[in-house]
């Protein structure tokens, strides 16, 4: 790993407002972030804060994702390392007020008057500055340090074709000296910096707050969509916690002194060892082997262990460092073992070719996953039909292995299509799994070679040429079509033809499964559009109801305004978390969704009603 250094240190005395660069030595204490970082917040009057000293949800306070105009305030903090620094706030109209930080609460009348003159009161009361009793008012109860790699921001800037101000990411520590995305390699590591020791435990997911220009206070660049489309995840930056206190300053180098083996989960926030599938993390290639003439299998060790528990049919994403964006691709997991998973990569396309050329045993590899719901339910008793073509053999191999290992008594029929016998990947393994099953048949079509070239095995029915619909139907001969679960993996046209043949023969459409990978796309990165109607439109979900007007924002904003706590993530149409059934009415998107939601549903974070609407409760 290149040697990263601290470029600068920033604290944010008031949640949501701009940061203040820390000069000179900065003290770090175990279990805390920077002193006076997120130590204050502005209560928004929408949700009354009964106990300011306790941690409260950000919905009670002004925060950038929702109140972008607050970044136009100015903030100064004198003598931050002393015991009684003075906080000065400057409103967008130029008026200022100051108070010692310990007194800068609603009792600091000048500051309160300044805020009340600049920000609207909420239904529960006027705005007020509060001093929190917690170590720092983050979006969760624990206080940490957030790190931003300036090289990653530069890479984003290149992809966006526009200036990306690092202040969008509100990091405490800006790093230099790492390659783009090199910060992900810090996850799970224990690092000495200055005379403090930190643990890097979680990547930082990004939401609408990063779409806000940190000076102008307007949403003008869809950073989550940029991340998701070009890099295949929505994370930028990493969090660390202080495990051994000390002093740090700009220019200090970071030195890795340990890794996940010594990581201890000392807070309620998950450590890298308890990661989530969506977290990008650095795995390691522990085995590489050729599989057929055009495929290579890679076993990848996962520091979270999540990939080792992947279900047959799930996939992972590879995010190839050093490759031009979009630098990611999904691969079905072809086998698992404790703490690791195998992918089998055919040389087709830019990312697969780059892996073949330079990914060797021992190399690091940024991964996310496992993902996917098209999986084999081992508890089910339906007959199984697996139809695949080319590299589509990977889910077939994983499912067969799963069935064989479970000593399944289900009837299994396999049909695979390949160009030549030499191109067959994982074939011996597929045949071996079939041979361990009580009632299985294995069919093979070679499209560019005579069937006589097929591997010699008594249970292989080999044919020459593309399979016809009749060939597909032959696989379910003797089975009750209504009791079949079919899994199809191959090119889109092949998948459509097989699906049509099977459903035409009576296999229920809901039991013909085909995974659709989310692939790199170009995305709309500019500012949200203005709503085309002025309303008001009634928005109802169950018993909750509100009148939407343009100033209400998105449907999600409007419903949150009447107390609905709906799931959301990026809030700009990039993650799909906010999808909700649309029962009646019409909507329009103010930001085009990166992945369109299913028919009959809507992403409420980035849409507005164009008539009265009713949504699922
Ligand atoms: S919250 Fe991410 S798409 Fe709506």
């Amino acid at each position: 790993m290149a040697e990263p250094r601290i470029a600068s240190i920033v604290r944010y005395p008031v949640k949501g407002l701009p940061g203040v660069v820390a000069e000179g030595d900065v003290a770090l204490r175990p279990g805390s972030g920077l002193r006076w970082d997120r130590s204050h917040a502005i209560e928004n009057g929408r949700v009354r804060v009964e106990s300011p000293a306790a941690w409260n949800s950000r919905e009670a306070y002004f925060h950038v994702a929702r109140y972008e105009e607050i970044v136009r305030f100015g903030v100064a903090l004198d003598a931050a390392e002393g015991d009684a620094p003075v906080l000065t706030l400057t409103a967008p109209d130029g008026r200022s007020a100051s108070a010692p930080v310990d007194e800068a609460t609603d009792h600091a009348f000048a500051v309160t008057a300044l805020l009340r003159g600049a920000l609207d009161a909420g239904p529960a009361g006027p705005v007020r500055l509060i001093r929190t009793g917690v170590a720092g008012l983050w979006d969760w109860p624990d206080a940490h340090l957030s790190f931003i790699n300036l090289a990653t921001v530069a890479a984003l800037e290149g992809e966006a074709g526009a200036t990306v101000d690092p202040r969008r990411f509100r990091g405490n520590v800006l790093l230099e000296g790492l390659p783009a995305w090199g910060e992900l390699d810090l996850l799970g590591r224990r690092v000495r910096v200055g005379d403090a020791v930190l643990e890097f435990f979680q990547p930082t997911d990004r939401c609408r707050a990063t779409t806000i220009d940190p000076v102008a206070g307007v949403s003008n660049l869809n950073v989550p969509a940029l991340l998701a489309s070009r890099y295949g995840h929505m994370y930028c930056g990493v969090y660390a916690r202080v495990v051994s206190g000390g002093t740090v300053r700009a220019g200090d180098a970071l030195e890795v002194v340990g890794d996940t083996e010594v990581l201890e989960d000392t807070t309620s926030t998950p450590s890298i060892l308890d990661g989530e599938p969506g977290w990008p993390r650095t795995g390691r290639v522990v085995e590489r082997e050729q599989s057929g003439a055009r495929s290579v299998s890679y076993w990848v060790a996962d520091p979270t262990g999540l990939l080792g528990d992947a279900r047959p049919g799930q996939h992972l994403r590879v995010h190839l460092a050093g490759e031009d964006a979009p630098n990611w691709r999904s691969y079905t997991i072809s086998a698992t073992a404790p703490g690791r998973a195998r992918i089998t990569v055919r040389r087709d396309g830019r990312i697969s070719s780059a892996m073949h050329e330079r990914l060797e045993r021992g190399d690091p590899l940024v991964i996310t996953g496992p993902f996917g719901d098209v999986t084999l339910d081992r508890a089910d008793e339906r007959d199984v039909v697996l139809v695949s073509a080319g590299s589509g053999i990977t889910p077939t191999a994983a499912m067969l292995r799963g069935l064989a290992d479970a000593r399944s008594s289900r009837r299994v029929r396999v049909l695979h299509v390949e160009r030549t016998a030499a191109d067959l990947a994982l074939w011996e393994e597929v045949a071996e799994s079939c041979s361990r099953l009580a009632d299985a048949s294995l069919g093979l079509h070679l499209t560019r070679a005579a069937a006589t070239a097929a591997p010699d095995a008594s249970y292989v029915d080999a044919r020459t040429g593309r399979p016809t619909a009749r060939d597909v139907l032959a696989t379910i001969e003797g089975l009750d079509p209504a009791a079949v679960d079919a899994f199809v993996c191959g090119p889109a046209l092949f998948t459509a033809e097989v699906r049509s043949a099977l459903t035409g023969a009576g296999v229920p459409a809901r039991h013909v499964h085909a995974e659709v990978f989310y692939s790199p796309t170009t995305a709309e990165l500019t500012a949200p559009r203005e709503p085309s109607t002025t309303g008001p439109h009634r928005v109802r979900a169950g018993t909750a109801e509100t009148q939407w007007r343009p100033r209400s924002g998105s449907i999600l904003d409007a419903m949150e305004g009447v107390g609905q706590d709906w799931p959301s993530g990026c809030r700009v149409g990039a993650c799909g978390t906010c999808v909700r059934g649309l029962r009646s009415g019409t909507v329009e998107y103010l930001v085009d969704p990166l992945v369109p939601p299913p028919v009959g549903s809507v992403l409420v974070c980035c849409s507005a009603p164009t008539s009265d609407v009713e949504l699922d409760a």
Side-chain angles (χ1 to χ4, degrees):
M1 182 190 298
E3 186 180 69
R5 289 184 178 278
I6 295 177
S8 61
I9 301 172
V10 185
R11 48 167 61 88
Y12 301 82
V14 182
K15 183 177 181 63
L17 268 54
V20 179
V21 174
E23 308 289 352
D25 289 346
V26 175
L28 298 179
R29 297 176 179 80
S32 302
L34 295 172
R35 196 172 187 200
W36 307 119
D37 184 49
R38 281 103 171 162
S39 58
H40 292 66
I42 305 171
E43 190 180 335
N44 58 27
R46 296 171 74 116
V47 182
R48 195 72 199 163
V49 176
E50 300 298 342
S51 176
W55 180 85
N56 291 282
S57 158
R58 73 175 186 174
E59 292 312 316
Y61 305 117
F62 281 87
H63 58 88
V64 180
R66 180 135 185 195
Y67 306 93
E68 54 223 48
E69 67 277 11
I70 60 174
V71 305
R72 295 202 290 265
F73 273 81
V75 182
L77 189 67
D78 290 347
E81 289 299 299
D83 284 333
V86 172
L87 175 69
T88 300
L89 300 186
T90 303
D93 65 6
R95 291 178 303 119
S96 295
S98 300
V101 286
D102 274 340
E103 296 169 21
T105 66
D106 53 337
H107 302 300
F109 297 118
V111 176
T112 299
L114 177 81
L115 292 172
R116 290 181 179 172
L119 299 169
D120 291 339
V127 303
R128 61 173 179 160
L129 189 71
I130 60 141
R131 164 85 191 278
T132 69
V134 294
L137 191 65
W138 293 76
D139 291 343
W140 56 86
D142 301 312
H144 303 301
L145 296 167
S146 98
F147 283 69
I148 293 297
N149 178 5
L150 291 172
T152 300
V153 177
L156 291 177
E157 194 163 79
E159 281 303 312
T163 301
V164 177
D165 190 324
R167 289 177 290 181
R168 282 179 187 268
F169 301 97
R170 301 179 66 77
N172 293 120
V173 181
L174 304 187
L175 292 176
E176 58 189 5
L178 277 174
W181 302 104
E183 69 275 28
L184 295 177
D185 210 11
L186 293 170
L187 290 173
R189 311 261 192 173
R190 189 169 278 207
V191 169
R192 183 181 305 284
V193 55
D195 51 6
V197 177
L198 315 175
E199 278 179 348
F200 287 82
F201 66 94
Q202 185 175 321
T204 311
D205 59 341
R206 293 303 175 180
C207 70
R208 184 177 182 277
T210 54
T211 73
I212 312 300
D213 182 292
V215 177
V218 294
S219 176
N220 61 1
L221 180 66
N222 192 338
V223 172
L226 173 69
L227 289 165
S229 61
R230 275 35 164 214
Y231 298 97
H233 59 72
M234 288 200 297
Y235 293 79
C236 181
V238 287
Y239 288 119
R241 55 182 160 234
V242 181
V243 292
S244 174
T247 301
V248 297
R249 55 164 48 222
D252 282 350
L254 277 67
E255 177 198 1
V256 174
V257 293
D259 57 21
T260 48
E261 269 72 52
V262 295
L263 191 68
E264 294 157 10
D265 191 6
T266 55
T267 74
S268 60
T269 305
S271 76
I272 187 70
L273 298 178
D274 303 314
E276 296 177 12
W279 287 8
R281 66 266 186 191
T282 303
R284 203 155 292 277
V285 176
V286 292
E287 216 173 304
R288 171 188 164 133
E289 62 187 7
Q290 191 73 30
S291 182
R294 293 191 293 147
S295 302
V296 172
S297 286
Y298 299 92
W299 278 97
V300 183
D302 177 6
T304 69
L306 289 171
L307 291 181
D309 297 327
R311 288 170 284 142
Q314 287 196 295
H315 62 275
L316 59 75
R317 283 185 195 162
V318 163
H319 311 261
L320 211 53
E323 191 66 23
D324 288 342
N327 70 347
W328 61 280
R329 184 166 166 177
S330 300
Y331 295 98
T332 303
I333 293 167
S334 59
T336 59
R340 61 185 61 179
R342 184 187 67 186
I343 52 175
T344 302
V345 177
R346 177 160 294 197
R347 191 181 187 116
D348 62 357
R350 187 169 55 88
I351 300 301
S352 298
S353 296
M355 290 174 70
H356 274 231
E357 283 161 19
R358 63 170 205 259
L359 193 63
E360 298 293 339
R361 184 175 177 199
D363 284 347
L365 181 64
V366 176
I367 47 175
T368 52
F371 304 113
D373 296 323
V374 178
T375 58
L376 190 68
D377 181 355
R378 289 181 189 164
D380 203 326
E381 294 187 346
R382 301 173 67 84
D383 295 329
V384 178
V385 172
L386 303 170
V387 185
S388 54
S391 57
I393 199 168
T394 48
T396 292
M399 290 182 186
L400 281 173
R401 183 191 267 231
L403 288 163
D405 289 350
R407 293 192 166 82
S408 173
S409 59
R410 296 164 75 174
R411 292 185 289 186
V412 180
R413 303 290 179 261
V414 181
L415 175 64
H416 182 64
V417 184
E418 188 52 274
R419 297 199 311 185
T420 69
D423 291 322
L424 286 166
L426 304 173
W427 189 250
E428 287 177 8
E429 182 178 312
V430 163
E432 190 271 339
S433 294
C434 273
S435 71
R436 287 195 284 138
L437 288 164
D439 185 351
S441 71
L442 179 56
L444 173 66
H445 277 246
L446 296 179
T447 59
R448 295 193 192 173
T452 50
D456 187 21
S458 58
Y459 41 80
V460 175
D461 174 21
R463 309 262 172 106
T464 302
R466 282 170 55 85
T468 62
R470 184 177 298 180
D471 294 321
V472 173
L473 295 185
T475 62
I476 59 170
E477 238 170 53
L479 306 181
D480 174 5
V484 160
D485 245 338
F487 296 86
V488 189
C489 190
L493 181 60
F494 171 83
T495 300
E497 288 173 351
V498 173
R499 177 188 285 277
S500 166
L502 291 174
T503 54
V507 179
R510 69 179 185 284
H511 286 293
V512 181
H513 312 281
E515 180 72 290
V516 178
F517 285 160
Y518 168 38
S519 300
T521 60
T522 53
E524 183 69 49
L525 301 177
T526 51
R529 293 180 285 274
E530 291 297 321
S532 64
T533 72
T534 55
H537 301 305
R538 189 184 64 207
V539 178
R540 189 162 61 192
T543 56
E545 183 175 320
T546 189
Q547 289 291 323
W548 177 93
R549 291 180 172 79
R551 68 169 181 273
S552 309
S554 67
I555 293 173
L556 177 63
D557 291 333
M559 294 306 278
E560 285 177 342
V562 289
Q564 296 300 292
D565 185 18
W566 287 359
S568 67
C570 68
R571 301 183 78 98
V572 281
C575 73
T577 307
C578 65
V579 67
R580 191 160 285 261
L582 178 63
R583 297 186 173 191
S584 66
T586 55
V587 303
E588 64 180 344
Y589 282 104
L590 308 178
V591 174
D592 293 330
L594 203 55
V595 183
V599 174
S601 58
V602 61
L603 299 182
V604 292
C605 73
C606 53
S607 57
T610 50
S611 70
D612 289 352
V613 296
E614 179 160 7
L615 298 143
D616 288 347

